[in-house]
């Protein structure tokens, strides 16, 4: 933590060295895309895409889950998506799943999440699209690359895109061809990014 603090406190020197760029950023933002991905610390959108400050509007959730629009009266995910599309005018939205995903592995392996009820309820949102029943007791294989898990993650990404396409702030733009939805799969151990085939109406 001390290293993070020291780097944060010295960051102002980078800003002063490129002050014009940061002054422009302070005037407003016009990100190229909304990037929805997992909260996993190993998945860093700016590193994967080479993006700089102001390029990506990010939404990070456990397991890259996009909840149903009416998931709760106050939903930070829905608020973020709405702001990106309706206020910032973002026209490209990426949902990026990844290998070695602990959240998806817990679902697929049937890990008992009774001790983590908040996480369990959140991950339950992904069960139907993956054809998974109620959890049992299993073990995690997160540290190994698992092709079977990769197939499930890809399926999961497609399901999140399908859900995203139902959002009131997204659906009209998709139907008019003004908002484009993209599915990506990022492999942590190799850095590979695969573009997934998906079209509106799939699910």
């Amino acid at each position: 933590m001390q290293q993070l603090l020291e780097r944060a406190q010295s960051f102002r020197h980078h800003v002063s060295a490129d002050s014009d760029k940061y002054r422009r950023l302070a005037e407003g933002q016009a990100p190229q895309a909304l990037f929805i991905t997992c909260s996993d610390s190993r998945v860093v959108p700016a590193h994967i895409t080479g993006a700089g400050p102001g390029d990506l509007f990010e939404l990070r959730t456990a397991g890259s889950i996009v909840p149903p629009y009416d998931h709760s009266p106050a939903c930070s995910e829905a608020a973020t998506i709405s702001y990106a599309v309706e206020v910032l005018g973002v026209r490209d939205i990426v949902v990026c799943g990844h290998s070695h995903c602990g959240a998806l592995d817990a679902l697929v392996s049937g890990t008992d999440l009774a001790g983590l009820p908040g996480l369990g309820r959140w991950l339950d949102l992904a069960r139907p699209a993956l054809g998974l029943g109620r959890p049992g007791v299993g073990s995690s294989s997160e540290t190994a690359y698992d092709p079977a898990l990769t197939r499930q993650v890809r399926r999961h990404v497609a399901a999140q895109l399908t859900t995203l396409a139902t959002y009131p702030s997204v659906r009209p733009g998709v139907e008019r061809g003004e908002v484009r939805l993209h599915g990506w799969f990022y492999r942590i151990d190799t850095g590979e990014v695969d573009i997934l085939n998906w079209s509106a109406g799939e699910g």
Side-chain angles (χ1 to χ4, degrees):
M1 184 62 201
Q2 185 60 33
Q3 289 181 343
L4 294 176
L5 176 60
E6 290 173 359
R7 288 198 291 267
Q9 290 178 325
S10 66
F11 183 69
R12 62 186 179 87
H13 299 299
H14 298 280
V15 172
S16 60
D18 198 1
S19 57
D20 287 342
K21 179 178 74 174
Y22 282 89
R23 275 197 292 270
R24 289 193 298 272
L25 288 172
E27 295 170 359
Q29 58 175 321
Q32 298 177 35
L34 168 61
F35 199 97
I36 302 173
T37 192
C38 188
S39 304
D40 194 303
S41 63
R42 300 165 296 178
V43 180
V44 184
H47 287 184
I48 296 169
T49 63
D55 289 340
L56 296 178
F57 200 66
E58 295 183 24
L59 172 58
R60 306 192 63 155
T61 71
S64 311
I65 291 174
V66 177
Y69 179 71
D70 59 354
H71 175 55
S72 69
C75 178
S76 65
E77 294 80 18
T80 300
I81 292 165
S82 175
Y83 189 82
V85 176
E86 299 184 285
V87 178
L88 298 179
V90 166
R91 293 295 174 258
D92 289 280
I93 306 176
V94 176
V95 176
C96 182
H98 67 94
S99 68
H100 306 81
C101 182
L104 269 293
D105 182 65
L107 285 176
V108 173
S109 66
T111 300
D112 185 0
L113 298 173
L116 298 167
L119 177 60
R121 287 192 297 270
W122 176 255
L123 296 183
D124 281 346
L125 296 172
R127 288 184 184 282
L130 295 176
L132 300 173
R134 301 303 304 169
V137 178
S139 59
S140 173
S141 59
E142 181 187 354
T143 56
Y145 178 73
D146 183 352
L149 177 60
T150 293
R151 289 191 293 272
Q152 288 286 53
V153 172
R154 290 170 180 262
R155 183 178 176 186
H156 171 72
V157 168
Q160 305 321 297
L161 291 168
T162 298
T163 297
L164 183 61
T166 68
Y167 273 53
S169 58
V170 175
R171 184 178 60 248
V174 171
E175 291 174 348
R176 293 192 298 265
E178 297 171 356
V179 173
R180 296 167 294 273
L181 306 184
H182 312 271
W184 291 8
F185 175 80
Y186 170 61
R187 183 164 169 175
I188 288 175
D189 57 331
T190 66
E192 295 172 87
V193 174
D194 291 336
I195 310 303
L196 310 184
N197 292 323
W198 180 90
S199 61
E202 291 185 14

